[in-house]
Amino acid sequence: MATERDASELKQQGAIEAARDPESSVTSNDAQRKLVEESKNAGVAAFTFDPDASPEEKRAQAKAAIPDNLRRPRKAQGVAIATDVDDGTRASYDLPSPSRAGAIVLPKDQDGRTIADENDAREEEDLAAKVGWSQRFGWPMDSVTEGESLLDHTTWLEGTVPDQYFGEWYHNAAVIIFACLSSWLVAVLGGGLGWVIIIMAGCSTYYRTSIRRVRRNFRDDITREMALKKLDTDHESLEWINSFLVKFWPIYQPVLAQTVINSVDQVLSSATPSFLDSLRLKTFTLGSKPPRMDHVKTYPKAEDDTIIMDWKFSFTPNDKEDMTARQLQNKIDPKVVLEIRIGKAMISKGLDVIVEKMAFSGIMRLKIKLQFPFPHVEKIEMCFLERPNIDYVCKPLGGETFGFDINFIPGLESFIQEQIHGNLAPMMYAPNVFPIEVAKMLAGSPVDQAIGVVAITIHGAQGLKNPDNFAGNPDPYAVVTFNKRAPLAQTKVVKDSPNPRWGETHYVIVTSFNDSLDLIVYDYNDFRKDKELGVASFPLERIEELGVYENERLEVVAHGKARGVVNADIRFFPVLEATEHEGTIEPPPETNTGILRYTIEQAKDLDGTKSLVGLLNPYAVLLLNGKEVHQTKKLKRTNNPIWDNGSKEILITDRKNAKLGLAIKDDREIAGDQLIGTHQIKLDDMLDMMEKGHDWYNLSSAKSGRAKLTAQWKPVALSGVLAGTGGYQTPIGVMRLHFKSARDLRNFETMGKSDPYVRVLLSGIEKGRTVTHRNTLSPEWDEVIYIPMHSSRDRLALEVMDAEKMGKDRSLGLVEIFAGDYITQDENGEYLVHNTKKIHESGLRLHGKGIAKGTLTYTVSFYSCLNVADPEEEEEEAKEIEASSEPPKKSLDVPRSSEAGKISTLERKENGKEPTTPTSPAVPVSPVSPRSTTSGRKSREAPRERPKVHLSPEELLKYESGFLIFKLMEAEMPKSGTHLEIYVDDMLYPSYITNTARGKTFKFDEIGDCFIRELEFSRLTLKVREKREKPGEERDEDHTVARLTGNTLETLKQCLNNPTILKLKDEENRVATVKVSLKYIPVRMQLDPSESINNMGNLRVDVLDAADLPAADSNGKSDPYCKFELNGQDVFKTKTQKKTLNPVWNEFFEVPVPSRTAAKFTCKIYDYDFADKPDFLGGADINLEQLDPFKAKELKLLLDGKSGSVRLRLLFRPDYVTRSRLGTSTFSGTFGGPGRIVTGVVGAPVKGGVAVAGVVGHGVGKGASFIKRGLRGKKDDDSNGLVPTSSNSDIPTIVTNGPDAPASGPGLRRATGLSVDGEAAARPVTPNGKTHGRNPSLGGVSIHSLAPGSAGAGTATFTVVSASGYPASSDIYVLIKQLTPKERTIGKTKHHESPDVVRFDETFKHTCTADTQFRIEVKNHHTFGSDDDLGEVLYFVDESGGGEKELAVGTGTVVLKSTFVDNNTESPRSVNSGLRRSFLSKRESKSREGPPT
């Protein structure tokens, strides 16, 4: 009966044959499908390829079929690590200055082999005495050619006659017939007996030859059949492996013996009883005869993932039967000599215990468990099926000559045998097994497996309860573990407190996201065991998506009950892995931060003269920057120690300045430990020496001695306070990403559509993001994001996210960009500009894998930084070169400086008082450019050094675009728990967020950067913010405590390489100070005209009058009103003038224009009809490109109707238009339009993935920019030039500090430095000196309310009249929301059922400015569950009070009536008369003075 496999094969064969049969209906495709199906059922990979597909597509299809679990999973293996973060303590050891001089470089011959010296020869002789012999090839033995030949004797006939003439049955039959007939013929012819003998001889020779071949064929058939039908009881011979062992044993046995000696010596050294001086393994050899494998038996019917084999082996070195005379002559017996030293130091005696002539044989079962991931063998379980035979000779006393074998003592041999079997039986006699975890052994160190580092800052705990009611308050401490396994780190003990404050940070290497980070809280006890109070758990899978969790409240649980709360910050920093790009493996980018595994393996020839007996008890201390990080075991009586615990993992935050040290000491119990030798080397130098294969170093301050040191490095993307000043890496350029749109995105929403935005990830850390568009699967962003780049090996992920109101945002798919495709170098090492801006349309894949769904349209370009020389750093390098003992070797293959990234002037210490006021705003003489932290190690990718550019400060600041690099030193914050945010220009999201300041006085010591597009016009804003957690809010709200804003160029001039204190004032008039120093790195970029500040800003339109309008009414007149549209959306409507063809309106409005070049601005005039639709009288398009900035222009536009014209006065003020937090594709509003470009410049935010909510950063017009100088430009000497006073500021304007500035009155002024936004700006006054009736807060004014020529503050009244056109089953209500400067709901109607027309007649009042944006939303009310969105529309308050308006909202219509009452008694329209060109217009020499082209 056929087996299942046979049946499967028959099915497949039948399908193939049916497909070949021309009469059959089965096609070749059916047969192919059947084959693939059967193969997959059997678990074998099989594919159906499109015959027209390319090899790449076929390869991708096969690759996609590989199961995920085949890729190597990370085994859970955590380890606590030290760090080089300075904790303020002094260095532990006085080490020599770091240098490469101690490295031992061995001489090599012309073939590259190391030339052995005398020391090596002596070491080899000593080792041969210990392990039996030195490594060699084979043993001396008799030649094979000397013995007799064993060749098979073939007959002459067999060698002569062709094969086809003998060996078959008919040949044998024929020769018998021939013999008979020829004998008869001889008899007939009268022949004698001799002829018969001749015939018989010939026939028998032929018959013998033929029958031998028959038997050989028969034997082969039987052998083949027996191999197929093998019995379970059969054994297989293993002569092939025995033959291999005979030749391999002379090479391997010395290595094996040396390994055993080193390992056993470690154990014996640490386990020596106190009454003995030392235990040492003097000799260990297994002899010259290798173990022998007799036979093996396999079990083919075991499980698919298991292999079972029984091995019969024997180790019988004393069996000489199978050895030749030459082998016996060279035979070495197995021998183990253990030296037991009794006494102490000089008064000690060594006794040798000898074990020799060992023999061992038995049957061992091996069970091999397989797995998918590499190394594909999970573990091997071994056990003896029966008691093995053990034999030996043991001489405990008397040594080699007079030793007495203790087995001669009656009864002792059997007793020892039983003891051995008794100890081994529970371990490895069946059914007990001894497991060997192969996968774990080959997994390597935690650094090899590391996927990142977790920094756990344990602030403290509250309400810890002691389970023992009578024990009082606990003495708590916390232990960091993974899955409650071995402790990784521990906090200090806080005595007698249920609310301890630890304030400690511990770093742990993470090897798997599947672990749980468990903080076990214990109660410390002096005498008895510490008591566990509970466990606070944090699943590490949470950090995979979001890398930062601040102020996490982790509940301490014991036996299912809450026992308190632990407060902790948890931050994850990913390891940068090598990536595959277009078939080549790209190494990870070089970073200044990472994980280091620093190891001392062994030392040799230590100076034993410092010991009385000439032998030391050595141990090693590993040092980082002079401080102890690890101590090894203490070994006994050896000058050549080998340590098995000499490794320490360290988190390095500043690789270029890290110095690795070593101190070897002699353990002396009473006299105090003596220092034997030391060594120190820079980490970069050590890694460089490792690449060259040098790992031995001579010890300094010692007569002799050398140590073997190794270092293993893995780059880690650190950010925030951990990266500090050392972790900052100067960019090599900027990547410009222009996100145009996306279409057909995934939709994970059950109701409505996704709310997409794009974020840019670099090394897993978020570096920038666009605004969010609501309720659309095809958003039009048209935004530009700038990302600083540090290496051509970087990889960017462009990830489209779905913004969620509750919970974390979800990924809709991502696109990966490889920086090397855009970053290239010329022959001089300079990075080239890549400016083609090719449009890419890439499919979005979830986590970068799987099927693409949705398309992202974007462009990528790269602009390189100038490699500006740093005079101070060059001076420092010159000093180092002079101080160094060896002349420096000039390296031509280093891409960037080894000191790169270090900002020397930022790090210098100020003596005496800090400079609060620079004596003059003059630029310092030497600008110092921070340089790359890329190490001085060889880089295969960039074997050229970039040429340096020497620029004076004036030349440096002429560059329009570049990176502003700031070092935040220290600050006096208005309150604790706040942080600093830095905003640039029109950014909605901050360029940099500092760490949270725990106290009012805080030392930041952080470096960050932001990209400046137009230095002359750029605005810089500092905000002090605090996180407020309000229940019921959509997200945690960040509240702005204090802010400072001003002109970037003037601030840069004042703070360039000059630590300066900036002062900010908060709402309660408290002063906060921040000490900051700035750098500037120019970028080779020609700014796109659409991104220039001249292309965006505020447009003031004065609607003057119209003439000769066509008559629309029967009385020959019209009732005209004027309506303005920007990019298809209504932005303003005038009052209606009754019964006239020449109306005079004299009204004005302001509107922000994100892009003049892309703006479609139209003016349309309608005739108002009370009972009918308005009649169109004419319209005109307005070209905004023709306007000169700050220059009012009067236009007379001909209407495209029957007749008529309209007269307008336009004034365009360039300004950064701050991005709206929530864009939407259902309406575009004033920020809309297909051609708009809203630009965000993003530096390096500290917290990857943290969406910072809160007040929108306002533009230049926000409160203008008040400075300490008055209208006459007078300067007060008692201030630092950055803190404004409001006494001299009469009007909220910016005044030009130049010859064309008026002596007094309103105007525009160049801002000098930063100004407090909200002090003078909070009290705007009118030109005649009368103040407003209210003092608007920072959040209550818009970016237009206080700018020159804008509408003043007042009260808006909204009346929601009715709604119609919505589904009959709807229970609708109307929401009115203010959008600027901060979104909030100002009115909500009651909900009503919707039969047809719903009457609300509800009125709401709100204090705002005339040009504040509002959004009208209609929603369907649900008693249970969330309400449905029925539609929304942008709305501006009707300043003219012109009656009801019908608004199309969604599928229906809302009738709304609004009025606005200005708080001013006099209109500020005359303000524009004093407008002058300000700092926002270009210099006269600049080319972009007029309208953008």
Side-chain angles (χ1 to χ4, degrees):
M1 185 175 171
T3 62
E4 287 182 13
R5 187 180 63 186
D6 296 337
S8 171
E9 288 176 1
L10 288 171
K11 277 186 198 173
Q12 296 174 28
Q13 188 60 34
I16 294 169
E17 288 173 0
R20 288 175 180 165
D21 184 1
E23 303 297 323
S24 170
S25 61
V26 179
T27 65
S28 60
N29 287 338
D30 296 334
Q32 180 178 310
R33 203 176 305 113
K34 184 67 180 173
L35 278 172
V36 172
E37 183 187 332
E38 291 292 336
S39 299
K40 286 183 177 175
N41 291 341
V44 180
F47 308 100
T48 305
F49 293 116
D50 179 2
D52 299 327
S54 65
E56 289 76 17
E57 290 170 338
K58 292 178 180 177
R59 196 178 301 122
Q61 182 183 340
K63 195 172 182 180
I66 298 173
D68 289 338
N69 59 358
L70 191 59
R71 297 173 180 88
R72 178 178 178 179
R74 308 280 183 170
K75 291 285 183 187
Q77 185 181 8
V79 62
I81 51 179
T83 177
D84 62 344
V85 175
D86 188 7
D87 56 0
T89 57
R90 295 184 62 186
S92 317
Y93 291 82
D94 185 18
L95 296 173
S97 59
S99 77
R100 298 181 173 210
I104 299 172
V105 181
L106 298 173
K108 296 185 177 180
D109 59 17
Q110 56 187 348
D111 296 330
R113 291 191 292 266
T114 303
I115 301 171
D117 57 7
E118 292 178 7
N119 289 337
D120 293 335
R122 190 171 64 252
E123 281 179 21
E124 199 168 325
E125 288 173 13
D126 294 342
L127 182 63
K130 275 186 170 187
V131 302
W133 66 89
S134 298
Q135 287 176 290
R136 63 178 70 168
F137 288 112
W139 293 106
M141 61 182 294
D142 301 327
S143 172
V144 174
T145 58
E146 292 175 11
E148 64 174 17
S149 172
L150 297 176
L151 290 173
D152 189 18
H153 302 286
T154 58
T155 63
W156 172 86
L157 186 66
E158 192 170 354
T160 309
V161 178
D163 287 351
Q164 64 264 33
Y165 296 128
F166 66 94
E168 297 294 343
W169 65 270
Y170 45 83
H171 293 139
N172 300 337
V175 77
I176 294 171
I177 295 169
F178 173 76
C180 295
L181 290 176
S182 56
S183 299
W184 172 78
L185 185 63
V186 167
V188 168
L189 297 176
L193 190 61
W195 286 105
V196 174
I197 292 171
I198 292 171
I199 291 170
M200 287 174 61
C203 290
S204 60
T205 303
Y206 178 86
Y207 181 80
R208 174 174 171 262
T209 304
S210 184
I211 204 69
R212 277 182 61 185
R213 185 172 178 188
V214 170
R215 287 171 180 166
R216 187 163 66 238
N217 293 341
F218 184 61
R219 183 191 64 207
D220 291 345
D221 292 342
I222 291 175
T223 303
R224 195 178 303 112
E225 194 65 25
M226 292 295 289
L228 289 173
K229 307 293 182 184
K230 191 188 307 181
L231 300 177
D232 279 348
T233 54
D234 285 352
H235 295 133
E236 293 180 41
S237 170
L238 287 169
E239 285 309 311
W240 66 271
I241 203 168
N242 293 325
S243 176
F244 167 77
L245 280 173
V246 166
K247 296 192 176 182
F248 185 62
W249 192 247
I251 301 169
Y252 179 64
Q253 194 279 149
V255 179
L256 175 64
Q258 188 183 0
T259 306
V260 171
I261 290 172
N262 293 341
S263 302
V264 173
D265 266 352
Q266 301 274 358
V267 176
L268 292 176
S269 181
S270 56
T272 306
S274 57
F275 59 86
L276 297 178
D277 187 40
S278 68
L279 285 172
R280 282 182 59 226
L281 202 59
K282 272 174 70 174
T283 304
F284 181 89
T285 179
L286 293 173
S288 56
K289 187 176 179 184
R292 178 177 172 79
M293 301 295 164
D294 293 335
H295 59 73
V296 66
K297 174 183 164 187
T298 58
Y299 295 87
K301 293 181 182 177
E303 295 291 330
D304 287 345
D305 62 344
T306 307
I307 299 169
I308 302 176
M309 294 185 287
D310 293 343
W311 293 69
K312 172 80 166 68
F313 70 94
S314 58
F315 178 60
T316 53
N318 303 316
D319 184 4
K320 304 170 185 175
E321 295 299 323
D322 57 347
M323 298 178 73
T324 65
R326 193 78 176 267
Q327 287 174 330
L328 285 171
Q329 187 182 340
N330 293 286
K331 180 173 180 289
I332 296 171
D333 289 327
K335 187 176 183 181
V336 179
V337 180
L338 177 69
E339 184 194 59
I340 302 173
R341 186 164 286 276
I342 303 170
K344 287 290 178 184
M346 294 182 69
I347 316 166
S348 63
K349 171 64 178 167
L351 303 174
D352 287 349
V353 175
I354 301 172
V355 178
E356 57 186 357
K357 297 183 179 177
M358 295 90 74
F360 193 84
S361 63
I363 299 178
M364 178 175 283
R365 172 163 291 177
L366 297 182
K367 190 175 181 180
I368 303 170
K369 183 81 171 172
L370 305 178
Q371 65 176 19
F372 278 124
F374 181 84
H376 309 302
V377 176
E378 181 185 348
K379 61 182 176 181
I380 300 174
E381 294 177 349
M382 49 194 291
C383 68
F384 286 105
L385 295 179
E386 56 191 36
R387 281 187 173 194
N389 298 316
I390 303 169
D391 189 22
Y392 60 92
V393 172
C394 180
K395 300 176 182 177
L397 297 170
E400 188 81 44
T401 311
F402 302 105
F404 174 72
D405 185 3
I406 59 170
N407 289 329
F408 290 157
I409 300 173
L412 188 59
E413 182 181 9
S414 59
F415 172 75
I416 293 175
Q417 291 272 7
E418 287 303 319
Q419 287 296 313
I420 293 172
H421 291 312
N423 285 316
L424 288 179
M427 291 169 54
M428 54 194 316
Y429 288 3
N432 303 313
V433 295
F434 181 76
I436 300 173
E437 301 284 352
V438 178
K440 288 183 181 177
M441 289 168 63
L442 295 181
S445 67
V447 173
D448 294 322
Q449 298 175 268
I451 56 176
V453 175
V454 167
I456 308 120
T457 303
I458 308 174
H459 301 304
Q462 288 90 37
L464 294 180
K465 295 176 184 174
N466 202 322
D468 188 350
N469 295 326
F470 303 102
N473 286 334
D475 302 331
Y477 67 92
V479 171
V480 180
T481 68
F482 280 160
N483 303 330
K484 302 179 192 172
R485 290 198 297 265
L488 303 174
Q490 180 180 320
T491 67
K492 63 190 176 189
V493 177
V494 178
K495 293 287 185 181
D496 193 30
S497 172
N499 304 306
R501 299 295 298 168
W502 290 300
E504 298 180 22
T505 301
H506 298 279
Y507 308 100
V508 179
I509 289 178
V510 179
T511 57
S512 170
F513 287 126
N514 300 323
D515 291 344
S516 170
L517 176 66
D518 295 325
L519 305 178
I520 307 176
V521 183
Y522 288 96
D523 175 21
Y524 175 77
N525 292 307
D526 290 311
F527 305 109
R528 65 182 191 276
K529 186 181 175 184
D530 296 348
K531 185 165 48 183
E532 184 179 319
L533 299 180
V535 181
S537 296
F538 180 88
L540 289 181
E541 61 189 19
R542 292 176 63 190
I543 63 176
E544 192 171 4
E545 289 286 334
L546 186 62
V548 178
Y549 290 87
E550 288 196 332
N551 291 318
E552 279 288 303
R553 292 172 60 84
L554 306 174
E555 194 171 41
V556 179
V557 178
H559 307 297
K561 295 181 180 177
R563 295 286 180 185
V565 173
V566 170
N567 282 345
D569 293 350
I570 295 161
R571 292 183 175 86
F572 175 68
F573 307 108
V575 161
L576 302 177
E577 300 281 3
T579 53
E580 187 176 347
H581 179 65
E582 295 179 354
T584 59
I585 300 296
E586 298 287 344
E590 287 287 350
T591 63
N592 198 39
T593 54
I595 309 170
L596 172 73
R597 181 178 170 88
Y598 179 30
T599 304
I600 166 77
E601 289 186 10
Q602 57 178 314
K604 287 187 178 180
D605 303 329
L606 295 182
D607 184 10
T609 58
K610 297 182 180 180
S611 170
L612 293 173
V613 293
L615 293 172
L616 304 169
N617 298 330
Y619 67 93
V621 178
L622 300 182
L623 309 165
L624 176 66
N625 297 334
K627 297 175 188 175
E628 182 175 325
V629 292
H630 182 64
Q631 182 176 311
T632 67
K633 287 178 182 174
K634 297 175 180 178
L635 303 183
K636 297 280 187 181
R637 298 180 74 87
T638 177
N639 292 346
N640 299 302
I642 299 172
W643 291 283
D644 63 346
N645 68 331
S647 295
K648 182 63 182 175
E649 290 79 12
I650 308 166
L651 181 68
I652 300 293
T653 62
D654 187 5
R655 175 172 132 176
K656 63 182 169 51
N657 291 323
K659 297 185 287 289
L660 300 179
L662 169 72
I664 296 181
K665 303 177 84 174
D666 182 24
D667 178 33
R668 300 185 182 178
E669 294 167 353
I670 302 172
D673 297 349
Q674 177 94 19
L675 190 65
I676 303 299
T678 57
H679 183 71
Q680 186 170 235
I681 186 171
K682 282 188 174 180
L683 171 56
D684 275 343
D685 290 343
M686 186 165 179
L687 292 172
D688 194 21
M689 299 303 282
M690 284 278 297
E691 279 190 359
K692 296 173 181 174
H694 306 317
D695 48 13
W696 282 94
Y697 299 87
N698 286 319
L699 298 176
S700 59
S701 65
K703 289 182 183 176
S704 64
R706 52 203 164 108
K708 186 177 184 181
L709 298 171
T710 59
Q712 181 186 357
W713 174 261
K714 264 208 170 182
V716 171
L718 287 191
S719 61
V721 71
L722 259 186
T725 55
Y728 179 74
Q729 204 172 349
T730 306
I732 59 172
V734 64
M735 196 76 91
R736 179 186 184 270
L737 300 167
H738 182 186
F739 296 108
K740 293 180 176 289
S741 62
R743 64 177 187 272
D744 301 327
L745 296 176
R746 286 178 174 85
N747 189 13
F748 291 140
E749 303 290 341
T750 50
M751 300 286 291
K753 298 175 183 175
S754 299
D755 303 329
Y757 66 90
V758 186
R759 66 173 184 167
V760 184
L761 303 174
L762 177 65
S763 303
I765 295 174
E766 184 175 311
K767 295 291 186 182
R769 56 171 291 181
T770 68
V771 296
T772 306
H773 281 224
R774 277 188 176 167
N775 197 34
T776 176
L777 300 181
S778 298
E780 297 277 344
W781 288 293
D782 215 350
E783 285 192 46
V784 175
I785 304 287
Y786 289 94
I787 305 294
M789 302 303 295
H790 305 95
S791 167
S792 60
R793 300 201 298 245
D794 283 335
R795 191 176 280 268
L796 290 170
L798 316 180
E799 187 169 23
V800 180
M801 303 291 289
D802 176 19
E804 295 292 319
K805 292 182 180 179
M806 304 295 288
K808 62 185 180 185
D809 298 347
R810 294 180 292 193
S811 174
L812 301 178
L814 61 84
V815 176
E816 283 202 330
I817 292 178
F818 184 61
D821 294 340
Y822 303 93
I823 303 177
T824 52
Q825 285 179 282
D826 61 15
E827 61 275 2
N828 298 323
E830 274 294 348
Y831 290 98
L832 302 174
V833 171
H834 185 284
N835 194 23
T836 55
K837 295 182 183 173
K838 177 187 172 185
I839 295 177
H840 299 273
E841 292 191 353
S842 303
L844 296 165
R845 288 177 166 81
L846 285 177
H847 310 296
K849 295 179 286 189
I851 300 169
K853 174 75 169 79
T855 305
L856 179 67
T857 305
Y858 61 95
T859 69
V860 184
S861 43
F862 173 77
Y863 303 97
S864 58
C865 291
L866 288 178
N867 192 21
V868 182
D870 187 342
E872 293 195 12
E873 281 191 4
E874 289 175 351
E875 285 176 20
E876 283 183 14
E877 286 174 6
K879 287 178 186 174
E880 280 186 14
I881 290 168
E882 288 171 15
S884 175
S885 57
E886 58 172 352
K889 295 176 183 176
K890 288 190 178 179
S891 173
L892 297 175
D893 53 3
V894 181
R896 311 181 75 195
S897 163
S898 62
E899 291 295 309
K902 182 174 179 182
I903 303 182
S904 52
T905 51
L906 295 185
E907 293 167 357
R908 66 171 182 240
K909 295 178 181 175
E910 291 78 37
N911 45 14
K913 214 166 92 174
E914 292 166 341
T916 55
T917 310
T919 51
S920 75
V923 184
V925 179
S926 59
V928 182
S929 153
R931 291 151 59 187
S932 159
T933 57
T934 306
S935 72
R937 294 170 62 197
K938 287 187 179 180
S939 171
R940 298 174 187 85
E941 283 72 21
R944 302 173 296 276
E945 186 172 3
R946 296 176 65 196
K948 288 188 169 41
V949 181
H950 292 265
L951 295 176
S952 69
E954 291 78 11
E955 291 171 331
L956 186 73
L957 299 180
K958 283 180 182 175
Y959 285 88
E960 188 177 59
S961 304
F963 281 103
L964 183 70
I965 298 174
F966 41 84
K967 176 172 182 184
L968 301 166
M969 299 176 180
E970 55 198 20
E972 289 279 345
M973 308 295 264
K975 55 172 79 172
S976 60
T978 55
H979 61 268
L980 270 175
E981 294 179 4
I982 295 174
Y983 292 80
V984 179
D985 303 337
D986 57 349
M987 285 172 50
L988 175 62
Y989 300 103
S991 289
Y992 192 82
I993 308 171
T994 67
N995 212 44
T996 303
R998 296 291 164 202
K1000 288 190 176 182
T1001 303
F1002 190 73
K1003 185 177 178 182
F1004 285 110
D1005 199 25
E1006 296 180 35
I1007 295 182
D1009 56 29
C1010 51
F1011 186 69
I1012 306 295
R1013 287 169 295 169
E1014 291 180 287
L1015 179 61
E1016 187 180 4
F1017 305 142
S1018 174
R1019 302 284 292 173
L1020 202 59
T1021 302
L1022 272 71
K1023 294 183 185 178
V1024 177
R1025 310 190 81 188
E1026 65 175 340
K1027 185 175 280 293
R1028 285 183 174 177
E1029 294 185 14
K1030 296 180 182 176
E1033 290 280 342
E1034 288 184 356
R1035 289 189 182 276
D1036 294 345
E1037 193 79 7
D1038 274 18
H1039 172 67
T1040 301
V1041 178
R1043 64 159 50 198
L1044 187 66
T1045 187
N1047 179 270
T1048 305
L1049 178 61
E1050 300 301 331
T1051 308
L1052 181 58
K1053 285 180 180 178
Q1054 210 150 26
C1055 301
L1056 186 67
N1057 308 322
N1058 182 25
T1060 307
I1061 292 181
L1062 309 179
K1063 294 184 180 179
L1064 305 84
K1065 286 192 178 178
D1066 66 358
E1067 304 131 317
E1068 299 173 19
N1069 222 26
R1070 292 176 298 192
V1071 175
T1073 62
V1074 179
K1075 189 175 181 183
V1076 66
S1077 181
L1078 300 180
K1079 301 280 175 204
Y1080 186 64
I1081 304 251
V1083 170
R1084 299 182 183 89
M1085 187 177 90
Q1086 185 67 39
L1087 190 68
D1088 192 281
S1090 60
E1091 292 180 73
S1092 166
I1093 193 173
N1094 271 343
N1095 190 45
M1096 63 183 78
N1098 294 316
L1099 176 68
R1100 175 183 168 122
V1101 181
D1102 285 83
V1103 190
L1104 303 176
D1105 51 41
D1108 301 326
L1109 297 178
D1113 295 339
S1114 55
N1115 59 5
K1117 303 287 185 182
S1118 295
D1119 302 327
Y1121 68 89
C1122 200
K1123 190 165 77 172
F1124 291 85
E1125 291 181 3
L1126 178 64
N1127 299 328
Q1129 299 296 320
D1130 293 349
V1131 293
F1132 183 72
K1133 181 182 143 188
T1134 66
K1135 293 179 182 178
T1136 304
Q1137 301 293 326
K1138 297 290 185 181
K1139 298 178 183 177
T1140 177
L1141 299 180
N1142 299 292
V1144 177
W1145 287 289
N1146 282 333
E1147 296 181 43
F1148 78 93
F1149 67 94
E1150 278 209 9
V1151 60
V1153 180
S1155 172
R1156 283 201 287 163
T1157 55
K1160 294 177 181 175
F1161 192 47
T1162 58
C1163 167
K1164 295 180 181 178
I1165 299 179
Y1166 292 90
D1167 171 54
Y1168 174 75
D1169 282 329
F1170 178 73
D1172 200 1
K1173 268 195 347 182
D1175 297 324
F1176 179 67
L1177 300 179
D1181 291 332
I1182 305 168
N1183 182 9
L1184 299 182
E1185 294 183 40
Q1186 61 185 338
L1187 301 178
D1188 290 332
F1190 299 101
K1191 200 175 281 184
K1193 183 169 186 176
E1194 193 171 295
L1195 300 176
K1196 187 174 182 180
L1197 303 172
L1198 296 175
L1199 302 177
D1200 57 5
K1202 294 179 182 177
S1203 63
S1205 62
V1206 63
R1207 197 163 60 94
L1208 308 173
R1209 184 188 300 120
L1210 303 178
L1211 173 68
F1212 182 75
R1213 288 194 313 276
D1215 190 0
Y1216 287 113
V1217 178
T1218 305
R1219 294 184 292 170
S1220 169
R1221 174 170 293 279
L1222 284 169
T1224 171
S1225 59
T1226 54
F1227 62 88
S1228 298
T1230 56
F1231 295 80
R1236 75 193 189 289
I1237 293 188
V1238 186
T1239 308
V1241 185
V1242 183
V1246 176
K1247 300 161 189 167
V1250 178
V1252 183
V1255 179
V1256 174
H1258 303 310
V1260 177
K1262 171 69 181 74
S1265 193
F1266 284 84
I1267 48 175
K1268 58 173 283 300
R1269 305 182 190 185
L1271 296 175
R1272 297 183 302 277
K1274 182 182 175 184
K1275 182 173 180 177
D1276 297 333
D1277 294 331
D1278 58 347
S1279 177
N1280 69 344
L1282 291 171
V1283 183
T1285 56
S1286 57
S1287 56
N1288 295 334
S1289 301
D1290 294 331
I1291 51 172
T1293 54
I1294 306 172
V1295 183
T1296 304
N1297 194 14
D1300 58 346
S1304 63
L1308 288 162
R1309 172 176 178 173
R1310 178 180 292 277
T1312 56
L1314 293 168
S1315 63
V1316 176
D1317 191 22
E1319 185 182 288
R1323 294 178 172 273
V1325 294
T1326 52
N1328 61 5
K1330 295 183 181 179
T1331 62
H1332 288 296
R1334 57 187 282 277
N1335 297 329
S1337 67
L1338 284 178
V1341 292
S1342 78
I1343 60 172
H1344 324 291
S1345 58
L1346 302 171
S1350 72
T1355 303
T1357 305
F1358 298 90
T1359 301
V1360 183
V1361 180
S1362 64
S1364 60
Y1366 294 101
S1369 59
S1370 303
D1371 188 10
I1372 64 171
Y1373 64 93
V1374 179
L1375 274 175
I1376 304 174
K1377 286 189 177 181
Q1378 173 187 310
L1379 294 183
T1380 54
K1382 177 181 170 184
E1383 183 174 313
R1384 60 178 172 180
T1385 303
I1386 60 165
K1388 177 182 176 183
T1389 67
K1390 294 176 182 175
H1391 51 88
H1392 296 280
E1393 294 286 344
S1394 171
D1396 185 19
V1397 179
V1398 178
R1399 300 285 302 184
F1400 293 105
D1401 292 324
E1402 296 183 39
T1403 302
F1404 309 98
K1405 289 190 176 182
H1406 178 59
T1407 304
C1408 62
T1409 59
D1411 52 359
T1412 302
Q1413 296 181 55
F1414 296 93
R1415 187 168 63 235
I1416 313 298
E1417 299 181 2
V1418 179
K1419 300 206 172 203
N1420 181 15
H1421 173 73
H1422 291 293
T1423 308
F1424 303 103
S1426 57
D1427 298 344
D1428 300 338
D1429 291 326
L1430 298 179
E1432 55 188 29
V1433 71
L1434 191 70
Y1435 186 73
F1436 285 89
V1437 66
D1438 188 357
E1439 206 176 346
S1440 60
E1444 297 176 355
K1445 281 188 176 180
E1446 286 188 2
L1447 305 175
V1449 186
T1451 58
T1453 306
V1454 174
V1455 179
L1456 187 73
K1457 186 177 178 182
S1458 63
T1459 58
F1460 181 79
V1461 178
D1462 200 331
N1463 288 345
N1464 293 333
T1465 55
E1466 189 175 317
S1467 170
R1469 289 177 194 153
S1470 60
V1471 172
N1472 67 346
S1473 62
L1475 289 171
R1476 306 287 294 194
R1477 183 174 304 279
S1478 86
F1479 75 99
L1480 288 172
S1481 64
K1482 285 282 190 183
R1483 297 187 183 115
E1484 295 301 326
S1485 59
K1486 294 277 182 175
S1487 61
R1488 204 182 326 116
E1489 170 62 33
T1493 56

